[in-house]
Amino acid sequence: MEQRINTEVWKALIRAFLPFKGRDVISILDFTREDLEELFERADYFLEHRRSYRLLEDYVVALAFFEPSTRTRLSFETAAKLLGAKVIGFTSEEGISIAKGESLADTIRMLDAYADIIVIRHRYEGAALFAAEIAESPVINAGDGKQHHPTQAMLDLYTIRKLYGSIDGLVYGVVGDLRYGRAASSFIYGLTLFKPKKVYLISPPLLRARPEVLEVLKERGIPFEEVTKVDEVVEEVDVLYVTRIQKERFPDPLEYERVKGSYRITIELLKRGKEHLRVLHPLPKVDEIEPAVDTSKYAAYFTQARFGVPVRMALLILIAGVEP
Amino acid sequence: MNPQTASLTVSKIRNGTVIDHIPAGKALLVLRILGITGKEGFRTAVLMNVESKKLGKKDIIKIEERELTSDEVNVIALVAPSATINIIREYNVYKKLRVQIPQIIRGFIKCPNPTCITNRGREALKARFKVIKRQPLLLQCVYCGTIISQEDLEKQLVM
Ligand SMILES: [Zn+2]
């Protein structure tokens, strides 16, 4: 009994002083603002001290990508390798053949036997949570269907903090496919941990944010408004978070052709905005942003992508419970 | 006692459960939620549209030789929050239970989202719902976040 109490006390102490240690990363909503601030401080360190470390020398990080991804996978792989971890895993094609006939549960059990941290991307919503329930090692969700992409949200918020010094008090416009896009949903969830002045949800009616996302905004008292054109709010926003609208989402291709222009970000449009207006995008982008924007002061998305590595390095060491 | 109720409540049960004060018309949903189809073998009486002082009209279910567990009792609250449950032993009320909407509901509700991991046939996994609002009832799939209302739930139970 006494032994048990001690373990409980010990666990509570670890939670208090090392809130990330051993933790699963399923949704950005599992975190507090304080957690993220701690994460961002570590990310600052890795951004300033870009070199390789031996902090995770004894660690195996498994990258289980059941769905195609180049950016997120490379970003995790680079982060893990810079920390000295051994990286194992598979990408979508192997993932499909592994998954053929085998349950996700069995694949996770196998990876759990090898790895100290499991990073998973899967087509099904809830796959990462399910994996976390099975695995003893901490699980990081690198995208589950249309639902969550918490590490993307972390680096998005980190980018805004870097650009503006604070995430609070700004007006945000989240543009594109808010219904099926996990980056957009996760970004909106992430904003609810802070105090945005206002969040505009800008999408065609067909691709509005899902009810559960709006529920969180309401519950947390975030001022928000659903609009259908970037045009309507461009003068007011400080940050435009742009995501791709896929043609396939529209039952009628003509409807897509008719609306797509309302979500295209051009230099012309941005010039109407505030002086310090910046555009973020989780990438890859196709034609939702005019190429001329890429080399303008408005484009923050390449910097944003670069922050993926230090933010993920920070997350990995915090989960492992080690310090640089 | 008026003659009508008398004729309907004569069949006192010896051992089992009486679920009373079910809103009129919801008795079959309650049976669905409990997974009672009639094939289980125990005698079950369903009384519908019985006069009630509290509800105007109500349904009653009597199940012989089966005592409901408190988990079973609580899921009844999803469709019949006013229901009261009496566990009967040797013709007497052995225990009275009030239904209370649980915080987490396991098992019997299917997630309507086709790409929810709980609908991937290969996994040994049952949907789990969190109650996010009691009045009006809103349930959220723990895995995929999909929200379902009382109406969605009842539709699913009828199907
Ligand atoms: Zn679900």
Side-chain angles (χ1 to χ4, degrees), chain B residues 29-95:
Chain B
L29 281 178
V30 170
L31 287 175
R32 278 282 179 144
I33 270 197
L34 296 173
I36 294 172
T37 61
K39 289 183 189 141
E40 296 79 8
F42 38 76
R43 256 196 298 184
T44 305
V46 181
L47 290 84
M48 294 171 103
N49 298 316
V50 180
E51 320 299 322
S52 156
K53 269 185 231 142
K54 260 206 285 187
L55 302 168
K57 280 194 170 163
K58 66 176 183 181
D59 290 0
I60 304 172
I61 298 172
K62 299 184 175 195
I63 311 161
E64 224 171 30
E65 298 301 331
R66 184 171 160 198
E67 291 187 4
L68 295 184
T69 64
S70 58
D71 278 353
E72 286 177 306
V73 164
N74 284 339
V75 294
I76 294 173
L78 295 175
V79 292
S82 57
T84 55
I85 282 111
N86 293 332
I87 306 289
I88 310 292
R89 287 191 187 166
E90 287 302 325
Y91 300 108
N92 289 314
V93 176
Y94 167 73
K95 216 170 15 174

Side-chain angles (χ1 to χ4, degrees), chain A residues 125, chain B residues 110-113 115-119 127-129 140-146:
Chain A
E125 290 88 34
Chain B
K110 230 176 100 59
C111 181
N113 168 17
T115 54
C116 175
I117 190 72
T118 62
N119 287 324
R128 209 157 76 222
F129 285 83
Q140 183 171 35
C141 174
V142 167
Y143 290 93
C144 75
T146 300

